[in-house]
């Protein structure tokens, strides 16, 4: 059998319907081999006629402190940030990426996103410069512009992307700017990821990876039309067959950029977001009351002040996890009740752990 037409087209001169650029997501558990694959693609793709490639690693673009303890002032009954720091950092990064794509398509200088903090924007620009994505500045202080490429530019985004909603946000950018979109999901066994993570200079806690393994959502090609251009790789060592499939997927995606009116899911997603926000707000209020009562019960049991602080932090982390699970749910109305009931049970267990030490 001959090669697919998309692959053959990718090896020849540019076609009429080809996208000017593409977004390729590398998804999977930590230590699944995403960064290794990303670096390999950045070496191999530029060898193809007319292709340019750059790797944007979320580990480099989101600071480690974004995943640290809650910010001061986020007590059990006090005010808390609207979003956890890691989530705000992801949102800022997405805004920075959009500004780059906007400049790439319009051929205009980059402009700072209004909501982005300066350190995050500077990290993004430094990464772009290191990847050769920005044109050399003729004079210091002039706005930077994307570097010209002979053919389409593939941006490979290296992150866990363990929720479908995280990947859908990037798909929306591809649709907004008529770019190609595809996903490479590395389905590496959990035990293998744990073993490889332990060999790293800065390993993640085992429980973090195990929790992610329970929550991770693989691409669903049957349910989600926007995930059609996806490839699930069972091995973390890229074989020749894997490489051929990857190149074929990237070529097919380039020949079929996402159309701006495709699927018309914007309103549906907006409605879901409104419903989710309402349900999550209700659950947040209930969880806050549960935490407040739990802290009162613990104080009545004469728990030490130092342990009260640890208890408050643990209960707030638990609340954040429960609310995030609720945000990702589909049947929000039915889930709100079960989530708050489950949170009550888990919170009681946490308090008992301190009381009966």
């Amino acid at each position: 059998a001959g090669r697919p037409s998309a692959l053959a087209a990718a090896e020849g001169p540019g076609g009429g319907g080809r996208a000017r650029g593409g977004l390729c997501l590398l998804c999977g558990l930590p230590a699944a081999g995403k960064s290794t694959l990303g670096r390999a693609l950045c070496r191999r793709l530029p060898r193809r006629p007319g292709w340019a490639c750059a790797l944007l690693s979320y580990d480099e673009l989101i600071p480690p402190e974004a995943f640290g303890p809650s910010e001061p002032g986020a007590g059990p009954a006090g005010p808390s940030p609207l979003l956890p720091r890691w989530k705000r950092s992801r949102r800022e990064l997405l805004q920075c990426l959009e500004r780059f794509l906007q400049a790439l398509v319009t051929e205009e200088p980059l402009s700072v996103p209004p909501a982005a903090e300066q350190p995050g924007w500077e990290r993004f620009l430094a990464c772009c410069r290191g990847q050769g994505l920005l044109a050399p500045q003729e004079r210091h202080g002039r706005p930077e512009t994307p570097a010209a490429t002979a053919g389409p530019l593939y941006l490979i985004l290296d992150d866990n992307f363990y929720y479908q909603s995280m990947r859908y946000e990037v798909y929306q950018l591809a649709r907004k700017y008529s770019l190609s979109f595809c996903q490479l999901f590395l389905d590496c066994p959990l035990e293998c990821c744990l073993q490889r993570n332990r060999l790293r200079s800065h390993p993640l806690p085992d429980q973090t990876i195990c929790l992610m393994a329970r929550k991770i959502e693989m691409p669903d090609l049957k349910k989600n039309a926007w995930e059609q251009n996806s490839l699930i790789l069972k091995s973390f060592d890229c074989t020749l067959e894997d490489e051929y499939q990857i190149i074929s997927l990237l070529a097919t995606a380039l020949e079929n950029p996402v159309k701006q009116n495709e699927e018309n899911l914007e309103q549906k997603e907006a409605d879901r977001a409104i419903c989710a926000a309402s349900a999550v707000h209700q659950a947040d209020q209930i969880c806050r009351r549960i935490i407040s009562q739990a802290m009162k019960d613990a104080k009545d049991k004469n728990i030490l002040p130092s342990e009260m602080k640890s208890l408050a932090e643990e209960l707030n982390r638990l609340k954040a996890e429960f609310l995030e699970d609720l945000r990702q749910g589909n049947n929000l109305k039915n889930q709100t009740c079960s989530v708050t009931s489950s949170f009550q049970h888990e919170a009681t267990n946490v308090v008992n752990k301190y009381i009966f030490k």
Side-chain angles (χ1 to χ4, degrees):
R3 287 187 169 188
S5 57
L7 185 60
E11 293 175 336
R18 173 173 296 193
R20 295 185 59 181
L23 300 172
C24 175
L25 307 190
L26 292 182
C27 324
L29 293 176
K34 300 184 298 298
S35 298
T36 301
L37 176 57
R39 289 191 293 268
L41 288 173
C42 280
R43 288 194 303 269
R44 295 169 190 173
L45 290 184
R47 300 174 191 168
R48 311 189 67 79
W51 286 26
C53 177
L55 178 64
L56 302 182
S57 171
Y58 276 49
D59 284 346
E60 296 176 8
L61 292 167
I62 296 179
E65 56 267 25
F67 300 93
S70 300
E71 295 172 345
S80 63
L82 293 177
L83 289 172
R85 281 192 295 178
W86 67 269
K87 202 160 189 176
R88 293 207 304 275
S89 294
R90 289 185 69 92
R91 182 164 292 182
E92 284 182 11
L93 176 52
L94 203 66
Q95 292 170 344
C96 293
L97 176 61
E98 177 167 10
R99 285 304 168 101
F100 176 82
L101 296 176
Q102 189 177 50
L104 183 70
V105 171
T106 62
E107 299 181 353
E108 295 177 355
L110 274 77
S111 57
V112 185
E117 296 182 4
Q118 194 64 28
W121 177 242
E122 289 298 332
R123 270 193 307 272
F124 180 79
L125 289 180
C127 180
C128 289
R129 293 187 196 108
Q131 294 283 319
L133 292 174
L134 300 180
Q137 289 180 283
E138 296 178 5
R139 286 204 312 268
H140 182 71
R142 289 187 63 182
E144 295 185 89
T145 57
T149 58
L153 168 67
Y154 250 120
L155 294 180
I156 300 176
L157 309 186
D158 174 8
D159 183 47
N160 303 310
F161 290 113
Y162 59 96
Y163 284 135
Q164 287 178 350
S165 58
M166 295 174 175
R167 307 195 293 268
Y168 184 73
E169 288 176 332
V170 182
Y171 168 81
Q172 287 177 305
L173 287 183
R175 182 173 60 191
K176 184 173 182 179
Y177 296 101
S178 297
L179 304 172
S180 74
F181 176 84
C182 61
Q183 302 178 138
L184 298 174
F185 187 96
L186 276 69
D187 187 17
C188 187
L190 172 60
E191 191 54 44
C192 178
C193 291
L194 292 172
Q195 290 175 0
R196 298 177 70 194
N197 172 69
R198 292 170 192 143
L199 298 176
R200 291 177 161 179
S201 56
H202 300 287
L204 292 171
D206 281 5
Q207 58 266 33
T208 298
I209 298 179
C210 290
L211 177 63
M212 198 175 293
R214 291 197 297 270
K215 294 185 175 184
I216 199 163
E217 298 171 346
M218 296 176 65
D220 191 335
L221 280 64
K222 293 182 179 178
K223 180 181 176 183
N224 300 322
W226 61 272
E227 293 194 292
Q228 290 305 305
N229 284 336
S230 300
L231 183 60
I232 298 174
L233 300 172
K234 290 293 182 182
S235 63
F236 53 87
D237 291 323
C238 190
T239 64
L240 285 174
E241 179 61 26
D242 288 335
E243 183 177 346
Y244 172 74
Q245 291 185 32
I246 291 170
I247 297 299
S248 179
L249 175 74
L250 294 172
T252 299
L254 270 184
E255 294 299 327
N256 298 277
V258 184
K259 297 174 183 175
Q260 291 188 2
N261 60 351
E262 193 167 298
E263 296 185 39
N264 194 24
L265 293 176
E266 291 290 349
Q267 188 58 48
K268 185 184 290 186
E269 194 64 17
D271 293 342
R272 193 200 73 83
I274 293 171
C275 178
S278 176
V280 171
H281 176 72
Q282 292 176 31
D284 180 58
Q285 295 302 309
I286 296 171
C287 288
R288 282 171 176 272
R289 288 196 291 271
I290 292 172
I291 290 177
S292 181
Q293 183 60 48
M295 294 297 294
K296 183 177 180 302
D297 293 344
K299 187 177 181 180
D300 291 344
K301 296 294 183 180
N302 297 319
I303 291 179
L304 295 174
S306 59
E307 292 191 334
M308 288 289 287
K309 181 181 177 182
S310 298
L311 174 59
E313 291 176 352
E314 193 168 344
L315 289 173
N316 275 293
R317 281 198 302 270
L318 184 66
K319 175 170 77 76
E321 290 177 7
F322 271 76
L323 293 179
E324 183 60 31
D325 286 341
L326 182 59
R327 286 187 187 96
Q328 301 303 326
N330 294 321
N331 195 344
L332 289 161
K333 288 184 178 178
N334 293 337
Q335 281 199 4
T336 304
C337 214
S338 62
V339 165
T340 51
S341 175
S342 178
F343 179 78
Q344 173 76 72
H345 176 72
E346 292 289 340
T348 300
N349 288 340
V350 171
V351 173
N352 287 341
K353 183 175 68 176
Y354 283 82
I355 292 176
F356 298 110
K357 268 190 171 183

